[in-house]
Amino acid sequence: MMNAHSVSFATLALLCSTSVLAQTAPSPEARAAATAASMTEDERVILTNGILAIPLIPGMKMPEDAVVGSGYVPGVPRLGVPSLKETDATLGVAWEFGLRKNDDGATALPAGPAIGSTWNPALARKGGEVIGAEARAKGFNVMLAGGVNIIRDPRNGRSFEYISEDPLLSGLIAGEAVAGVQSNHIISTVKHFAFNGQETQRSFVNSLISEKNGRESDLLAFEIAIERGNPGAVMCAYNRVNGPYACDSDWLLNKVLKRDWRYKGFVMSDWGAVPGLHAASNGLDQQSAAMLDKANFFGKPLKDAAAKDPAMAARLKDMNQRILYAIYANGLDTNPSVKGPRNKAAGLATAEAIAKEGIVLLRNEHDVLPLTANARSIVVIGGYADTGVLSGGGSSQVQGEGGPVAAIPVGGDGPMAFLAQEQYHRSNPLRAITTQARGAKVSFQRGNNVGEAADAARKADVAIVFATEWRTEGTDSFDLALPNGQDQLIAAVAEANPNTIVVLETGGPVLMPWLNKTAAVLEAWYPGARGGEAIASILFGQTNPSGHLPLTFPASLDDLPRRTIEGERTNTLAPGGDKPNVEVNADYNIDGSDVGYRWNARKGKTALFPFGHGLTYTSFAYDDLRITGGKRVTATFTVRNTGAREGADVPQLYLVSAVGRKLQKLAGFDKVSLKPGEARKVTITVDPRIIAEWDTDANGWRIGAGSYEFALGASASTLKQAARVRLSAQRLKP
Ligand code: BGC
């Protein structure tokens, strides 16, 4: 047994050893400063610019140690600085058109809104761990992950790469995913900073947003993600913000990110997003894939400018220090990525777990789901359900081993249009349904002949229609309608069979003119590498659905703050398809920070399906909501499983009025797994920035003194219990 003396001795020994460690291991900041100081003038412009690492350009020679991926930045071997080998993206290691030789693909995680629908940051972290480990096994050390732009417009073509319309949910989920990626000694980005709210004319569109509106919405999502995930890099966006380009925005990069948030990492540009050398003075640290811009501004021009101008020389030193800090803080030099096998089974298990928690049961009339043994004949219709599950397109496209099981060209007229294909993953819903159906007769109809599909549905006990909506980077989904006559198909099948279940594979919300005729609707998003299995597991009740919408499904386009997407008429498939010099302003001050459900609350609009909505095969009740004030507002309440099955619930706490002003803001949430009859006390501590308002004059957050009301909801429009608390005035630094 230890006595007091031996304890203090042990403590002393520990203190000595940590102080020895502290002496021998300088901080990443100190190392970065030392390395930057010992660089020659030529070396100072090595880390500041990179190349595209996709051998698509004829005659292009790849550096010897480059891996086919999105980008490459040479290292400085004399100083032991590794090269940066960059790959996309948020949902897995990108496929790069299958150009990597002898490559076995990567785990395709479900789409961002599926991860958002889990409301489970710990699971998002696991997803990040998987994609970081796979990036490492392929020899990459930078992942262009962390898509965290709030989905301000449900038509956004990249909504499938983002998480949600809410800053808190987006920030928490993306932050944990980034932390998971970086746990592999890989730098992760968060992107696209900021207000990259639409793909239409993305290289020209000017996002208009006031400081207050911005700080309380998109910027808050980034701020939370950066705090949680500590990403080594931030990728700035293609669009302009209140005039200047995002990658050239003194406000965004110097003032918000580096001054107010005290961000220590570096800002890398998006690919082909650098307007000129002046971007360096405005806070950009690295020009990515420089051949996509008008010039390699951050190479010789930067060196020459630094030789003449002491301010630019100081800036250049800072640029290097920031990049080096991210390298050292993540151990890219001490734990270099080594090519090796990836753990496919672990990847698939995580992808399946996310899909099972991320699929949302939107509608379930008369408990038609889960399917029981009474369903003796099932017809599966459409959506290539006999082949695979849909994935999203663009730079984030992931594929598993063997590449896509089907790839359907979608055309378009931009220079990159030949790359536009609807790609399907090798996870077969029909096969998974047949396996689960045990004995029932399962047949398939492609769905291209509406009459035949309806006939087959009439003869079956149950009809399951798969409907797909492909989204991609570079273009938006202008009308939110299911394409290719699928609305007519669903309507005809539902007319023929009252037990019609619709499974949606979409990158975001769609309109559902047929909704009232159907028995059930499942939003499976792009469900990833094990999507078919996860869908079948929910249909047959092996998994009790627990997904909740991370964004509003609007009832009509008329309900959106902007009826049309700015520049809609001029857009072609991008990247490269944008038409230059088209003046397009996206006015985000219309909704301001009241995005999605908050817009509906402000305008009294009813959603088709509200934010936070998600059904389950059991039921839950809430009790005893109590709110206490003080420095941190805390809510406690009890959740009880009142049904007959084990399941998980997502109780959501909303701020609904602040000092007499009615509003709605998600203030916190939890994910609680409960056995039938089981109850649990839940405690939620509220981030004060949710309660506060941004005060532009004071450059900080301000909580006004007075009464605040919170409500507990099963969705943004199903508020159950409410409680008030009085708060005193408070000011918070940014
Ligand atoms: C996308 C980025 C991506 C980059 C590299 C750009 O087109 O906007 O998200 O990381 O390409 O592939």
Side-chain angles (χ1 to χ4, degrees):
M1 215 174 126
M2 274 195 189
N3 58 28
H5 176 75
S6 66
V7 169
S8 61
F9 188 77
T11 313
L12 198 67
L14 189 72
L15 282 176
C16 287
S17 68
T18 46
S19 75
V20 167
L21 252 184
Q23 272 170 23
T24 52
S27 68
E29 289 94 326
R31 289 189 65 202
T35 308
S38 49
M39 281 175 160
T40 64
E41 276 175 23
D42 285 335
E43 284 169 345
R44 288 215 170 103
V45 288
I46 292 178
L47 292 176
T48 51
N49 63 98
I51 60 166
L52 193 66
I54 312 174
L56 281 177
I57 302 168
M60 178 180 162
K61 218 174 151 296
M62 293 264 289
E64 235 167 61
D65 69 330
V67 186
V68 173
S70 317
Y72 174 86
V73 180
V76 189
R78 184 181 77 84
L79 300 171
V81 178
S83 56
L84 301 180
K85 297 161 198 167
E86 301 167 327
T87 183
D88 283 290
T90 306
L91 308 175
V93 178
W95 169 242
E96 302 299 358
F97 326 108
L99 286 171
R100 274 191 301 270
K101 293 214 175 70
N102 305 321
D103 187 70
D104 62 352
T107 302
L109 295 184
I115 303 174
S117 295
T118 68
W119 296 62
N120 186 344
L123 192 53
R125 189 186 174 105
K126 279 195 177 163
E129 285 167 3
V130 162
I131 63 177
E134 294 194 355
R136 192 175 162 77
K138 289 179 188 298
F140 293 107
N141 56 13
V142 178
M143 280 246 31
L144 311 174
V148 68
N149 295 82
I150 61 170
I151 306 171
R152 193 173 266 280
D153 195 307
R155 295 163 291 194
N156 188 324
R158 296 187 93 167
S159 56
F160 73 93
E161 292 183 59
Y162 302 140
I163 308 293
S164 92
E165 67 189 18
D166 181 79
L168 179 67
L169 181 58
S170 298
L172 292 176
I173 295 270
E176 289 302 322
V178 162
V181 172
Q182 292 200 154
S183 67
N184 294 283
H185 300 294
I186 299 267
I187 291 175
S188 176
T189 56
V190 288
K191 66 187 191 183
H192 306 85
F193 194 63
F195 307 107
N196 195 172
Q198 65 177 56
E199 287 300 286
T200 302
Q201 294 293 350
R202 68 177 181 180
S203 307
F204 306 98
V205 63
N206 184 19
S207 302
L208 301 176
I209 188 119
S210 72
E211 171 113 26
K212 178 176 187 312
N213 286 335
R215 294 273 192 168
E216 292 176 5
S217 59
D218 307 54
L219 293 182
L220 185 55
F222 276 98
E223 191 178 4
I224 295 171
I226 290 171
E227 285 164 5
R228 303 284 290 211
N230 196 17
V234 170
M235 187 192 290
C236 50
Y238 279 123
N239 51 284
R240 296 173 183 269
V241 180
N242 300 324
Y245 277 102
C247 289
D248 190 25
S249 168
D250 177 55
W251 172 52
L252 282 180
L253 308 185
N254 284 336
K255 301 208 167 97
V256 174
L257 181 68
K258 293 180 179 176
R259 182 195 66 192
D260 290 349
W261 298 350
R262 294 168 287 281
Y263 180 66
K264 292 201 246 169
F266 68 102
V267 180
M268 71 163 75
S269 73
D270 201 339
W271 271 228
V274 184
L277 178 58
H278 41 87
S281 309
N282 289 322
L284 181 65
D285 300 305
Q286 189 181 67
Q287 179 179 14
S288 309
M291 58 258 265
L292 298 179
D293 291 312
K294 288 210 178 86
N296 185 354
F297 304 113
F298 283 27
K300 187 162 181 311
L302 180 57
K303 186 181 143 199
D304 294 347
K308 281 190 225 125
D309 175 3
M312 198 53 119
R315 182 72 259 278
L316 181 54
K317 194 162 161 235
D318 177 53
M319 290 156 85
N320 276 291
Q321 269 178 226
R322 287 174 171 279
I323 300 166
L324 289 163
Y325 166 76
I327 291 174
Y328 295 145
N330 289 289
L332 267 59
D333 58 333
T334 45
N335 285 283
S337 292
V338 187
K339 282 192 190 170
R342 65 184 176 94
N343 187 340
K344 292 178 197 165
L348 289 175
T350 301
E352 186 168 330
I354 295 174
K356 283 177 171 166
E357 280 197 39
I359 292 173
V360 185
L361 180 59
L362 294 175
R363 175 179 168 92
N364 193 17
E365 295 298 288
H366 316 298
D367 293 335
V368 65
L369 291 178
L371 292 172
T372 62
N374 294 341
R376 301 306 309 147
S377 62
I378 300 171
V379 58
V380 176
I381 301 168
Y384 300 94
D386 61 334
T387 305
V389 289
L390 186 58
S391 56
S395 59
S396 69
Q397 177 76 61
V398 184
Q399 275 303 336
E401 200 159 10
V405 63
I408 303 159
V410 296
D413 57 1
M416 303 288 276
F418 75 100
L419 299 172
Q421 299 177 336
E422 286 187 15
Q423 296 194 0
Y424 285 77
H425 292 311
R426 293 168 187 271
S427 168
N428 186 313
L430 181 64
R431 200 175 301 142
I433 287 171
T434 310
T435 308
Q436 293 264 357
R438 273 173 268 112
K441 184 173 156 281
V442 181
S443 58
F444 181 70
Q445 284 278 326
R446 285 184 64 201
N448 50 345
N449 184 323
V450 174
E452 276 176 22
D455 271 354
R458 202 167 290 117
K459 290 178 199 140
D461 292 331
V462 171
I464 308 176
V465 191
F466 280 74
T468 56
E469 184 239 16
W470 183 70
R471 291 194 185 191
T472 180
E473 173 179 350
T475 190
D476 292 310
S477 172
F478 297 117
D479 57 8
L480 285 187
L482 285 173
N484 306 327
Q486 294 177 100
D487 280 337
Q488 289 89 317
L489 173 70
I490 298 171
V493 170
E495 197 68 57
N497 188 326
N499 293 325
T500 292
I501 295 150
V502 178
V503 178
L504 295 168
E505 290 173 23
T506 69
V510 286
L511 300 175
M512 304 182 204
W514 34 259
L515 182 65
N516 291 335
K517 296 184 180 157
T518 62
V521 181
L522 211 58
E523 176 54 84
W525 313 107
Y526 303 145
R530 295 280 294 172
E533 291 75 9
I535 291 168
S537 175
I538 286 181
L539 288 174
F540 288 89
Q542 224 172 46
T543 299
N544 190 355
S546 63
H548 287 254
L549 290 181
L551 74 178
T552 307
F553 276 45
S556 145
L557 291 180
D558 295 329
D559 290 344
L560 301 179
R562 288 159 294 278
R563 178 62 181 75
T564 52
I565 292 184
E566 293 305 320
E568 187 171 317
R569 300 279 161 253
T570 51
N571 192 65
T572 55
L573 253 184
D578 299 359
K579 298 263 194 310
N581 304 322
V582 179
E583 286 296 322
V584 176
N585 286 320
D587 188 355
Y588 296 150
N589 286 317
I590 297 175
D591 41 347
S593 60
D594 286 333
V595 175
Y597 67 94
R598 286 164 58 173
W599 175 254
N600 278 6
R602 181 162 122 190
K603 294 285 178 184
K605 291 179 186 290
T606 306
L608 183 65
F609 292 107
F611 175 83
H613 169 74
L615 303 173
T616 164
Y617 299 150
T618 183
S619 52
F620 298 97
Y622 307 145
D623 252 322
D624 284 340
L625 174 64
R626 277 159 223 252
I627 311 273
T628 54
K631 252 199 145 86
R632 289 261 157 161
V633 170
T634 303
T636 57
F637 54 89
T638 308
V639 190
R640 183 181 302 278
N641 183 342
T642 51
R645 294 181 59 126
E646 183 169 359
D649 188 37
V650 179
Q652 302 147 41
L653 185 76
Y654 293 93
L655 175 64
V656 293
S657 90
V659 200
R661 190 166 64 91
K662 287 214 167 312
L663 46 79
Q664 189 165 18
K665 277 188 191 181
L666 180 71
F669 60 88
D670 200 359
K671 180 128 195 194
V672 196
S673 282
L674 295 170
K675 298 212 160 41
E678 197 187 351
R680 179 134 353 117
K681 188 171 167 194
V682 173
T683 303
I684 291 175
T685 308
V686 180
D687 186 321
R689 289 168 295 193
I690 304 293
I691 305 168
E693 280 191 71
W694 180 261
D695 181 340
T696 300
D697 293 335
N699 197 52
W701 300 97
R702 184 174 46 82
I703 297 179
S707 169
Y708 289 77
E709 188 177 13
F710 292 83
L712 205 51
S715 82
S717 43
T718 329
L719 301 181
K720 299 202 162 165
Q721 295 224 315
R724 291 184 160 274
V725 65
R726 285 201 76 77
L727 298 178
S728 42
Q730 223 190 101
R731 285 196 176 274
L732 305 156
K733 288 216 170 95

